Amino acid sequence: MSQNLTFTEKLKNFFISNAVPILFVVITLLAVPVSGFSANYLIQEMITRIGRNSFLVLSLLLPIIAGMGLNFGMVLGAMAGQIGLIFITDWSIVGIPGLVLAMLISTPISILLGILCGSVLNRAKGREMATSYILGFFINGVYQLVVLYFMGGIIPVKSPSLVLSRGYGIRNTVALDGVRQVFDNMIPLKIGEISIPLGTFFIIALLCLFILWFRKTKLGQDMRAIAQDMKVAQSAGIPVDRTRIISIVISTVLAGYGQIIFLQNMGTLSTYNSHDQTGVFSIAAILIGGATVSRATIPNVFIGVILFHMMFVVSPMAGKNLIGQAMLGEYFRQFISYGIIAIALVLHAWRRQKDKEMERRSLRGVKAEKQPQAEK
Amino acid sequence: MKRTVFILILIALLVLLGVWMFVLGRQRTIVMRNEDIDRQGITYEAAQIVGISFDGAEEKEITYDDAAIFYLVGSSHKLKLRVADEDGNTLRVVEKTIKLDLSKNISVDIPELLENKEEVIKLTGKMW
């Protein structure tokens, strides 16, 4: 069908399909010179942020492959990752063993939360994104109950640097001194003035390979079939509900690991806030990279992380230089994150409507072409 | 049945990996105290200056009635103690291998340690 399109239509389709990344490239190109940052600084920032955020954003791919849209429920995994980090800080487990142990602790919690999330989403088919978003708020309440009241009391956490002076509950901020940038510095590499977190990149590359391999497995193919048409997949004997739960479980577990990688780079855990924006920022990044609710690839992740975080870095300074207030840039970040999700969702709905219209028109065309032949 | 056994083995392996990571990454806080102490009627006198170094790292110097904190990962460490007089002249150097259990906080009295003739010394402290 696309072969029949004229050049103008093809161009139009290209711009429509890539509206969000193009918009961001334009904004970034305008904002970078205004910010006044040097190329070296921006490259270093981007490399650091690719290492920090890519794993989290990659965790969103599997639910999209399975047709479940953007997994706002990834914050559940982020919370599990944070619980792992709280425990290893209390037990004084440092270095790579500390991070591995935090991942091991987060895994069963993520699996349980993933099963819960997947089961709920199976009862809300077609409304997965809104449901997972609200589920995130619900589990956040449970997380706060556990961390604020159970830890230090029912759950043994002894370290005075962690527990509030009243004897239970975890402090607002936890310093992750023992695991700070451990993955980043695992394989030290410096090119000129730019340091590259090769260890973290290696882990991200492993995840990319896993995703590529996974798509080719039976389970991966089942997920793609479910995304195409759930009813057809069910008739073909694919256990739809189970497969959907598995995709959410894997995504939640990966989000937990992603949050651990994110926080080891930051070096500080904000106990009650770190996970808050994880979902929104990761989803905004993947959408900016050109992904849609129903289609996402690995390049979308990296393009999105670079564009979104370039905006993050340059917008406060650009705001300050233009208007004289750095705070405006901070508001701009929030506005961009939520705004881009709204734009992407609207574009997705609009594109679906357009596709349906085109499909109808093409069917009418075929019919109209066939009719005169039949008359002959 | 096969599937259940596989899952159980996997869980056991992950638990073992967790225990291994715990042992491997456990950081001990060691307080080295240089003060006079009495142990079972015997008085151990503290030196004027003691230089402490673990595993060939940079030496930390403490004076009489002072203490220093070290953070160590792993169970076996080489400890080097340099005893000096008031003017900083080295009187003797003692090297020992210390073995740490999984205790998180360990307190060491240097005068007692200096008198200990054993080459390998096991240290224990508070678990949490």
Side-chain angles (χ1 to χ4, degrees), chain A residues 221-238:
Chain A
Q221 295 292 336
D222 285 355
M223 284 181 188
R224 290 165 80 174
I226 291 166
Q228 289 285 321
D229 196 313
M230 228 183 287
K231 279 176 189 162
V232 173
Q234 184 88 56
S235 333
I238 296 170

Side-chain angles (χ1 to χ4, degrees), chain A residues 5-296:
Chain A
L5 295 175
T6 63
F7 176 73
T8 328
E9 279 174 326
K10 277 182 187 170
L11 199 69
K12 196 178 152 191
N13 273 353
F14 172 79
F15 276 105
I16 290 169
S17 306
N18 300 292
V20 180
I22 290 168
L23 181 73
F24 261 79
V25 168
V26 171
I27 296 173
T28 308
L29 286 176
L30 291 173
V32 167
V34 179
S35 71
F37 284 127
S38 69
N40 262 6
Y41 174 78
L42 287 176
I43 292 167
Q44 178 66 75
E45 276 295 314
M46 284 311 104
I47 287 171
T48 307
R49 282 160 190 265
I50 288 171
R52 190 188 293 164
N53 294 284
S54 296
F55 202 101
L56 272 170
V57 184
L58 281 166
S59 75
L60 289 166
L61 286 181
L62 286 189
I64 296 175
I65 292 170
M68 298 178 80
L70 303 159
N71 181 21
F72 282 93
M74 69 180 288
V75 289
L76 275 62
M79 288 178 224
Q82 287 175 192
I83 288 173
L85 284 173
I86 290 171
F87 277 119
I88 61 134
T89 309
D90 181 45
W91 299 339
S92 290
I93 314 297
V94 299
I96 292 173
L99 289 177
V100 174
L101 187 58
M103 286 175 172
L104 285 173
I105 295 166
S106 83
T107 306
I109 304 170
S110 293
I111 290 173
L112 287 176
L113 291 174
I115 291 170
L116 171 79
C117 185
S119 307
V120 171
L121 296 187
N122 276 341
R123 286 171 171 78
K125 284 180 187 135
R127 301 179 300 276
E128 285 94 347
M129 285 192 282
T131 311
S132 60
Y133 194 62
I134 299 303
L135 194 66
F137 287 124
F138 167 63
I139 298 295
N140 187 28
V142 178
Y143 169 83
Q144 301 222 1
L145 178 75
V146 170
V147 176
L148 200 53
Y149 289 99
F150 293 172
M151 283 192 171
I154 301 168
I155 302 166
V157 176
K158 308 248 173 169
S159 176
S161 62
L162 280 176
V163 182
L164 291 165
S165 54
R166 67 182 182 192
Y168 60 90
I170 303 297
R171 288 178 194 274
N172 241 333
T173 313
V174 174
L176 302 172
D177 294 333
V179 292
R180 178 172 290 150
Q181 297 183 351
V182 162
F183 280 152
D184 299 344
N185 300 327
M186 193 163 60
I187 310 164
L189 177 69
K190 206 162 183 181
I191 300 172
E193 286 176 3
I194 296 161
S195 56
I196 297 163
L198 213 57
T200 314
F201 282 178
F202 179 68
I203 296 165
I204 292 165
L206 281 181
L207 179 60
C208 291
L209 289 175
F210 168 76
I211 290 168
L212 289 175
W213 166 80
F214 186 81
R215 282 164 70 106
K216 288 175 188 161
T217 59
K218 162 87 172 63
L219 195 59
Q221 295 292 336
D222 285 355
M223 284 181 188
R224 290 165 80 174
I226 291 166
Q228 289 285 321
D229 196 313
M230 228 183 287
K231 279 176 189 162
V232 173
Q234 184 88 56
S235 333
I238 296 170
V240 172
D241 286 357
R242 187 172 164 272
T243 310
R244 281 162 57 94
I245 290 175
I246 290 172
S247 86
I248 289 291
V249 167
I250 297 174
S251 173
T252 313
V253 170
L254 291 177
Y257 298 166
Q259 184 74 352
I260 290 168
I261 291 172
F262 175 86
L263 290 171
Q264 65 86 34
N265 178 271
M266 300 290 281
T268 316
L269 160 67
S270 174
T271 315
Y272 304 99
N273 302 104
S274 280
H275 57 278
D276 261 4
Q277 304 291 343
T278 304
V280 172
F281 285 175
S282 301
I283 286 165
I286 201 167
L287 290 174
I288 288 166
T292 64
V293 175
S294 55
R295 189 188 58 83

Side-chain angles (χ1 to χ4, degrees), chain A residues 89-98 100-101 104 107 158-159 242, chain B residues 3 14 17-19 21-29 73 104 128:
Chain A
T89 309
D90 181 45
W91 299 339
S92 290
I93 314 297
V94 299
I96 292 173
V100 174
L101 187 58
L104 285 173
T107 306
K158 308 248 173 169
S159 176
R242 187 172 164 272
Chain B
R3 197 183 145 87
L14 288 176
L17 178 66
V19 172
M21 290 297 118
F22 186 95
V23 174
L24 211 66
R26 176 77 149 174
Q27 188 184 54
R28 287 83 165 172
T29 306
V73 181
K104 192 173 167 183
W128 301 107

Side-chain angles (χ1 to χ4, degrees), chain A residues 330-342:
Chain A
E330 192 56 40
Y331 286 117
F332 189 61
R333 288 179 186 193
Q334 298 278 335
F335 160 76
I336 290 287
S337 322
Y338 288 104
I340 210 68
I341 291 172

